[in-house]
Amino acid sequence: MSELIRDTVFGHLVRYLSGGKLLPYAEDRDPGLWKQYIHDEKTMRMAHHGHTGELEVGEPEPVDKPDAPKSRESISRDSSTTRRESNMQTNALGHPIDPEKGRDTNVVHWYGDDDPENPMNWSLLKKVVVTFEICLLTFSVYIGSAIYTAGIEGVVAYFDVSQVKATLGLTLFVAGYGLGPMLWAPMSEIPQIGRNPVYIGTLFVFVVLQIPVALATNFAMLLCFRFLTGFIGSPVLATGGASIGDMYAPRKRAYGIAVCADRRARRLRVLTGNQTLKCEPEIAGESMTGKEIAMISLVRPFTLNFTEPMVFLLNLYIALIYGLLYIWFESFPIVFEDTYGFSLELEGVAFVGILVGAAICIPPFFWYLYKYVEPQFNSNGELKPEIRLQAACVGGFFIPICLFWFGWSAKPSIHWIMPIIGSGFFSVGTLLLFNSVLNYLGDAYPDYAASVLAGNDLMRSSFGAGFPLFASAMYNNLGVAWASSTLAFLSIAFIPIPFVLYIYGERLRKMSKYARKDF
């Protein structure tokens, strides 16, 4: 329990006020542990050629520690090289530091596969609590979007605007939480910043901004602050998936895990006074210019979204489903109030079909993951990304089934339960599509998960923001049946995308600059 509290804002406050005596880390209790956290091979490379990467072709091998047994090759070195090596300084682990290229830097890392600071090794309780908090925060932001719809008529009356204009309060919020992750998500990938400062800082501002929204004195003020609340509250919508991936999914060089190493390096520098203790991403960050940081924070999500075919196609598909969902919801008052005579309060019951559809789909889907997907993970806990798309290939068919069923059963001559039953198929489709696609993107781009998911959030939110503006006109002019059918035909056009990527995804990944290529 102490490890769970220690990593919270409250825990950090307690540690600060107690000088680290309360809720201590292992190195607080025994400062001598710091040598266990040093990666010997990478520290040797830093001493020899100034970076943690492999030697370039033609570079000499690192020299042995002064007290290490000499190999036959070492004994045969020429006398001038031997004299130069004997004059070298050594680092804390005894590695000679090359005076021309070497650096006296000790690379902080995990002390082993079972290091409890590694998010992969957190206790089940901690993982469950963190996952719950991420889901709760995501739910809260989405509620902030949807809760506005119940007050649209009130906005129309209070500010004397049309219903289309009043709908802008919804669409601008959605546009804000689509645009926000393009800034916040890449920032969370910078180890010196990390996930939590972005989460906590934006959450505080998000809560404060609800006050001017509630007290808006004119329509422009309302719209302005609705956009800002969506923009500020958005980080978890993209970064939340990356955070969960840091705990559960395989990562080769995930920046989220690097953040934990960065924190450890900072603590060790304070405890030991040794300023040469640094983690690998921190070392890389020292050589980054302001332009490079700006590229990571602002340009990378757009680059990945529009130059990677896999990312663009899947993001476009998810964006379409998201837009269809928003525009389809506009038909519920028309169907259940106008056609079936439901009251405003009773209309909410019509959405139960969506909930029931999800509840029915989840158990067999989890069984499929356990029975067929998990056995395909390798010994390192890694999975060929394209396997994730199998469920998406199935899920795509449920969207048009839902829309056709709903549109053509919504008639006075047909009982109201039929369109409600049909609505449940949308849940099945979105569950299979979203789960498969978002996991695929994270697996295919493990080093850039937050940026890739931010691009996904931007595209789907753009569709979600724009589609409701013409929803009423579309359903009023075409009627429920043909308007729903038009949406169904659109969804059919996108069904081949997961099939194509399932077949050709591996080839595309190996051609990509950013995707993983080891499968």
Side-chain angles (χ1 to χ4, degrees):
M1 181 62 72
S2 63
E3 65 168 304
L4 177 61
I5 299 173
R6 184 178 58 202
D7 290 332
T8 64
V9 173
F10 173 76
H12 286 300
L13 180 61
V14 169
R15 281 179 47 80
Y16 175 76
L17 295 176
S18 66
K21 294 179 181 178
L22 297 177
L23 302 176
Y25 288 92
E27 56 267 26
D28 291 321
R29 292 188 290 266
D30 183 5
L33 287 175
W34 70 269
K35 286 190 177 181
Q36 295 184 21
Y37 304 144
I38 305 303
H39 195 292
D40 185 81
E41 182 178 355
K42 291 182 178 180
T43 299
M44 178 182 66
R45 292 175 183 173
M46 288 295 298
H48 179 257
H49 49 267
H51 60 82
T52 60
E54 298 283 352
L55 285 171
E56 296 181 2
V57 178
E59 283 190 298
E61 291 291 330
V63 299
D64 298 319
K65 298 179 184 179
D67 57 349
K70 299 291 183 181
S71 64
R72 184 171 299 175
E73 290 77 12
S74 297
I75 296 174
S76 63
R77 287 178 180 144
D78 61 86
S79 59
S80 61
T81 302
T82 303
R83 285 195 301 271
R84 182 173 63 87
E85 291 169 0
S86 64
N87 294 326
M88 286 184 180
Q89 294 181 345
T90 60
N91 61 20
L93 299 186
H95 300 297
I97 303 172
D98 189 289
E100 297 179 0
K101 297 182 294 183
R103 293 176 58 185
D104 185 9
T105 299
N106 298 291
V107 181
V108 177
H109 205 263
W110 312 126
Y111 68 69
D113 294 337
D114 58 347
D115 191 330
E117 285 292 292
N118 188 331
M120 296 290 180
N121 298 327
W122 284 353
S123 66
L124 179 60
L125 173 63
K126 186 172 182 178
K127 288 184 178 182
V128 169
V129 171
V130 172
T131 302
F132 173 78
E133 291 290 341
I134 291 172
C135 293
L136 180 62
L137 182 56
T138 304
F139 175 76
S140 300
V141 175
Y142 278 129
I143 283 292
S145 164
I147 202 170
Y148 176 86
T149 58
I152 287 180
E153 294 300 327
V155 171
V156 171
Y158 187 82
F159 294 109
D160 191 25
V161 295
S162 67
Q163 183 158 351
V164 173
K165 287 184 177 180
T167 306
L168 287 171
L170 169 64
T171 61
L172 286 176
F173 187 99
V174 176
Y177 75 54
L179 187 61
M182 304 302 282
L183 171 65
W184 306 122
M187 284 180 61
S188 74
E189 292 180 322
I190 299 174
Q192 288 81 354
I193 299 175
R195 311 268 197 231
N196 280 358
V198 175
Y199 284 147
I200 301 301
T202 56
L203 176 60
F204 176 78
V205 178
F206 175 77
V207 173
V208 171
L209 286 177
Q210 304 306 317
I211 298 174
V213 169
L215 302 178
T217 55
N218 57 67
F219 188 56
M221 178 179 176
L222 174 68
L223 296 184
C224 177
F225 281 102
R226 281 289 293 175
F227 174 79
L228 289 176
T229 51
F231 183 85
I232 296 297
S234 63
V236 70
L237 304 184
T239 310
S243 294
I244 292 175
D246 292 339
M247 296 183 289
Y248 296 104
R251 288 288 184 271
K252 295 184 295 181
R253 297 180 300 274
Y255 282 95
I257 294 179
V259 168
C260 299
D262 179 71
R263 293 175 184 167
R264 169 174 282 171
R266 294 182 189 181
R267 292 198 305 269
L268 291 176
R269 287 198 294 270
V270 173
L271 285 170
T272 64
N274 186 348
Q275 298 303 309
T276 67
L277 297 169
K278 299 178 182 180
C279 69
E280 194 170 0
E282 190 177 10
I283 296 168
E286 291 176 344
S287 60
M288 293 176 63
T289 64
K291 180 181 178 181
E292 290 172 329
I293 294 175
M295 289 289 291
I296 291 175
S297 299
L298 302 175
V299 178
R300 180 194 287 167
F302 291 96
T303 302
L304 289 169
N305 194 45
F306 294 106
T307 63
E308 292 289 302
M310 297 176 292
V311 177
F312 178 76
L313 289 174
L314 290 175
N315 284 353
L316 185 63
Y317 192 9
I318 292 298
L320 174 76
I321 301 303
Y322 205 68
L324 294 181
L325 177 66
Y326 269 80
I327 197 172
W328 175 55
F329 276 177
E330 292 292 319
S331 70
F332 274 62
I334 298 173
V335 170
F336 294 102
E337 290 184 29
D338 298 346
T339 303
Y340 292 111
F342 282 27
S343 65
L344 180 60
E345 294 79 10
L346 191 58
E347 184 201 336
V349 178
F351 292 91
V352 170
I354 298 173
L355 176 63
V356 172
I360 292 174
C361 178
I362 288 174
F365 179 58
F366 281 8
W367 177 84
Y368 157 77
L369 293 177
Y370 176 77
K371 186 74 173 178
Y372 292 101
V373 177
E374 285 192 22
Q376 298 185 67
F377 280 83
N378 64 18
S379 58
N380 295 323
E382 297 174 316
L383 178 73
K384 183 179 179 181
E386 283 68 37
I387 294 174
R388 299 283 194 185
L389 295 176
Q390 293 173 348
C393 294
V394 176
F397 290 96
F398 286 94
I399 303 300
I401 289 174
C402 163
L403 294 170
F404 281 128
W405 184 317
F406 184 89
W408 292 97
S409 65
K411 299 178 179 180
S413 59
I414 300 176
H415 195 276
W416 52 262
I417 195 63
M418 293 304 294
I420 291 179
I421 292 174
S423 68
F425 288 102
F426 207 99
S427 299
V428 178
T430 53
L431 176 66
L432 297 179
L433 283 168
F434 274 66
N435 186 285
S436 302
V437 168
L438 297 182
N439 274 293
Y440 172 80
L441 292 174
D443 287 349
Y445 297 86
D447 292 346
Y448 309 100
S451 292
V452 168
L453 295 178
N456 180 277
D457 192 65
L458 172 68
M459 288 195 68
R460 72 173 189 260
S461 298
S462 299
F463 279 55
F467 277 34
L469 295 176
F470 59 83
S472 296
M474 179 179 177
Y475 273 94
N476 289 329
N477 293 330
L478 295 180
V480 173
W482 281 110
S484 296
S485 296
T486 302
L487 302 180
F489 288 129
L490 275 175
S491 67
I492 289 174
F494 281 73
I495 286 177
I497 289 177
F499 286 93
V500 171
L501 293 180
Y502 181 74
I503 297 172
Y504 298 105
E506 181 178 358
R507 186 182 306 175
L508 290 172
R509 281 191 292 107
K510 291 182 178 179
M511 295 167 58
S512 170
K513 178 181 177 181
Y514 302 99
R516 68 185 308 173
K517 303 174 179 63
D518 54 348
F519 273 101

